[in-house]
Amino acid sequence: MRIKKIMIFSLIILALTLSACVPAGTPDTTMPMGDDPMMTATPGSMMADNPEAAHMMEPISASNVQPATETTGGLPLAYREEDGIKVFELTTKAVQWPILDGVTVTAYTYNGTVPGPMIRVTEGDQVKIIVKNELDVPTTVHWHGVEIPNAMDGVPGVTQDPIQPGESFTYDFIAKPAGTFMYHSHFEGDVQVSAGLYAPFIIDPKESEANPPVVDKVLMLSELRMIDGETFAAMPMGGMEPNYFTINGKSFPATEMITVKKGDLVRLRLIAIGQFIHPMHLHGMPFKIVATDGHPVPEAVQLTKDTISVAPGERYDIEFVATETGQWMLHCHILHHTTNDNVEPGGLMLMINVVE
Ligand SMILES: [Cu+2]
């Protein structure tokens, strides 16, 4: 037994020694946390020592921040039809976005809301999306999960030049496949996505569904850091833990209450767009996972669960029948994520209100 322990200990020492011997020029992904300047530096010294990190540590700001004129994000975006093409218009702009009574963040938005407006089309539709950049900084749009031509992928320096302030870019592609997708900034995404440049992109199937839900809601999960009235992009690194958590741009109790009738089939499309994982738990009514990352799960292998971890970039469509009346809570089970600046209750929580 003792020999076995010594052998395991020796193996650990050997592994640690080998991991320290990374050749010059190789990105070091094995550095122990204690030696990582990103993990040990104070935010101030990090900015001084590491200009690359500086943009992450600066508050979200813009010279032309406007008060929000809308209060709800993620609503369907109207389009016009030109020669059978659905044409949508998006404008990026900075607004003061209320996430909660008395708490307003500086947000980068599509069309002035967080999330931006929902683009909802049918599989096979040709779409054109004209993006005008009214931010002070360049941006691009990535169509997360949608199967598009490479030139439309929105990766700056790879598939397109960044859209400079004051400029426009038109994305043009066939919407496919059917499912739950999203669009978001791909320029300094660590800042711009946290700041609010994200929105749902839903592609409905061509053939109508055999058993469509009565209620169909998209819930986008994200986080922010707010200190002394300034907004920061939340990041899982020293000093940048989020203290506000949002569903569709709002923190509980400002999150939407979803009212359904007893017996309704309810579909919730969970989308994690922040930088943290969120195990979302529904009280009272177990659900089935009917699609993952937009793709349907065959009925025979659909899991029944009451908690589903949604990692950054993932989507899960869950469905349940509202069997019991009352207010049923849906919330993240990392319980720090159900606080507003460390005060419970708040954050990633909403109520499913089942009525007769
Ligand atoms: Cu969470």
Side-chain angles (χ1 to χ4, degrees), residues 62-143:
S63 62
N64 52 353
V65 186
Q66 305 150 36
T69 54
E70 308 292 326
T71 53
T72 307
L75 298 177
L77 180 60
Y79 58 87
R80 59 176 189 271
E81 290 223 42
E82 285 176 5
D83 303 327
I85 302 170
K86 290 182 177 171
V87 182
F88 295 87
E89 290 189 23
L90 295 174
T91 302
T92 57
K93 52 179 131 180
V95 305
Q96 293 294 336
W97 180 253
I99 60 169
L100 189 64
D101 256 0
V103 182
T104 295
V105 302
T106 304
Y108 290 172
T109 71
Y110 296 112
N111 295 7
T113 65
V114 183
M118 177 198 297
I119 294 181
R120 187 158 197 165
V121 292
T122 303
E123 186 179 15
D125 280 350
Q126 185 162 1
V127 296
K128 213 179 243 190
I129 301 138
I130 303 161
V131 181
K132 182 162 195 283
N133 184 12
E134 287 186 1
L135 295 168
D136 292 336
V137 289
T139 194
T140 62
V141 183
H142 170 62
W143 312 94

Side-chain angles (χ1 to χ4, degrees), residues 277-279 332 334 337 348:
I277 194 162
H278 298 296
C332 179
I334 295 174
H337 297 181
L348 293 182

Side-chain angles (χ1 to χ4, degrees), residues 162-316:
I163 313 168
Q164 295 298 331
E167 292 186 355
S168 294
F169 186 89
T170 300
Y171 294 90
D172 184 346
F173 53 86
I174 309 261
K176 66 181 167 72
T180 302
F181 304 99
M182 58 175 155
Y183 62 96
H184 63 75
S185 167
H186 219 289
F187 186 91
E188 292 186 352
D190 52 355
V191 171
Q192 292 196 359
V193 174
S194 288
L197 286 178
Y198 58 81
F201 193 109
I202 306 298
I203 305 178
D204 288 315
K206 246 187 225 163
E207 308 292 325
S208 50
E209 295 184 68
N211 188 22
V214 179
V215 177
D216 183 351
K217 287 274 176 189
V218 178
L219 304 176
M220 295 193 84
L221 317 173
S222 195
E223 324 85 20
L224 285 160
R225 180 166 170 82
M226 270 276 288
I227 296 290
D228 298 332
E230 291 197 298
T231 311
F232 296 84
M235 293 176 202
M237 56 191 292
M240 297 304 280
E241 289 295 314
N243 58 349
Y244 287 96
F245 305 85
T246 58
I247 302 177
N248 291 344
K250 303 286 174 182
S251 301
F252 185 83
T255 50
E256 180 186 3
M257 181 188 287
I258 300 173
T259 298
V260 308
K261 282 213 173 88
K262 187 174 170 179
D264 280 355
L265 177 64
V266 181
R267 177 183 298 165
L268 303 177
R269 302 173 190 251
L270 303 171
I271 304 179
I273 182 59
Q275 320 246 324
F276 291 75
I277 194 162
H278 298 296
M280 298 303 290
H281 172 57
L282 177 63
H283 287 204
M285 297 170 288
F287 54 78
K288 281 194 153 65
I289 301 168
V290 299
T292 56
D293 293 345
H295 305 283
V297 177
E299 203 168 340
V301 291
Q302 288 175 0
L303 295 179
T304 302
K305 286 179 67 69
D306 57 41
T307 308
I308 175 85
S309 283
V310 195
E314 284 188 323
R315 285 91 61 216
Y316 287 98

